[in-house]
Amino acid sequence: MFDILKKVLKPIGPSGLEEPVAAAIRVEVKDYVDTMETDALGNLICVKKGTDPNGKKIMFSAHMDHIGFIVTGYEKEGFLRVTNVGGIGMNNSYNRHVVFPGGVQGVVVAEPVSGQPALKNLFVDIGAQDREEALKMVSLGDVCVYAGECFRLGENRVAAPAMDDRCACALLVKLLQTVGETQDTII
């Protein structure tokens, strides 16, 4: 199960850009389902037909996305202004390593303010010397996500960014790989 989880967690798939995650899942389930399709919203729909033509249709669902930050502007010093994509927690974001789908990496930092910082006070440092260099590295509207590998915590626990979204995907992959023949259709 740990190997499946690592494969499903590895791709960068911010909200709205989950295709790399869907591709990883396709590889894992292709030999265990009858059909696979992607709808207009990017949902991967896998169907394992049941043996009973009058059988039930049972749907299992999980989401593939990863919360992150979207670039909303550039500072003259090369820092990226960002806002959240999904339920970003301020306290969990300070000094976090982030990665963009194109491979650019950065660190989330809050500008010094009096009182409690808000999302509008966050920026991402990608190491750009100035605004012009930042513009060459990352485009307005690009999305970054928390970076990090899947790793074990002791014998029976695992941690990784996007775990809340992708662990259910991994469980559904394992279900399709092990369920065998069924009377009912699994969607």
Side-chain angles (χ1 to χ4, degrees), residues 68-162:
F69 298 94
I70 187 168
V71 177
T72 60
Y74 304 88
E75 296 295 315
K76 66 181 178 182
E77 301 85 2
F79 302 124
L80 308 175
R81 284 293 168 184
V82 294
T83 194
N84 63 308
V85 175
I88 292 289
M90 288 291 294
N91 291 335
N92 293 329
S93 297
Y94 298 125
N95 303 315
R96 286 291 295 267
H97 177 200
V98 292
V99 63
F100 288 86
V104 173
Q105 299 184 55
V107 176
V108 179
V109 184
E111 66 183 320
V113 294
S114 60
Q116 186 70 14
L119 275 171
K120 68 181 182 177
N121 304 115
L122 292 182
F123 60 89
V124 174
D125 183 349
I126 58 171
Q129 297 296 315
D130 53 31
R131 184 178 192 279
E132 288 71 32
E133 185 177 4
L135 282 163
K136 292 175 186 172
M137 297 170 68
V138 175
S139 297
L140 197 64
D142 281 356
V143 179
C144 62
V145 297
Y146 295 140
E149 294 294 320
C150 178
F151 61 96
R152 290 188 180 275
L153 293 172
E155 191 175 320
N156 298 309
R157 293 191 176 113
V158 177

Side-chain angles (χ1 to χ4, degrees), residues 2-36:
F2 183 63
D3 289 335
I4 293 171
L5 187 58
K6 287 192 311 186
K7 290 175 184 176
V8 171
L9 282 163
K10 185 174 181 160
I12 296 172
S15 300
L17 302 169
E18 298 96 339
E19 176 51 36
V21 183
I25 292 171
R26 278 188 205 94
V27 168
E28 295 301 312
V29 301
K30 66 180 173 17
D31 295 332
Y32 303 96
V33 298
D34 296 299
T35 64
M36 286 188 285

Side-chain angles (χ1 to χ4, degrees), residues 52-66:
D52 183 351
N54 298 316
K56 297 176 184 174
K57 291 183 179 179
I58 302 169
M59 183 177 110
F60 294 96
S61 177
H63 53 111
M64 301 180 284
D65 66 327
H66 187 170

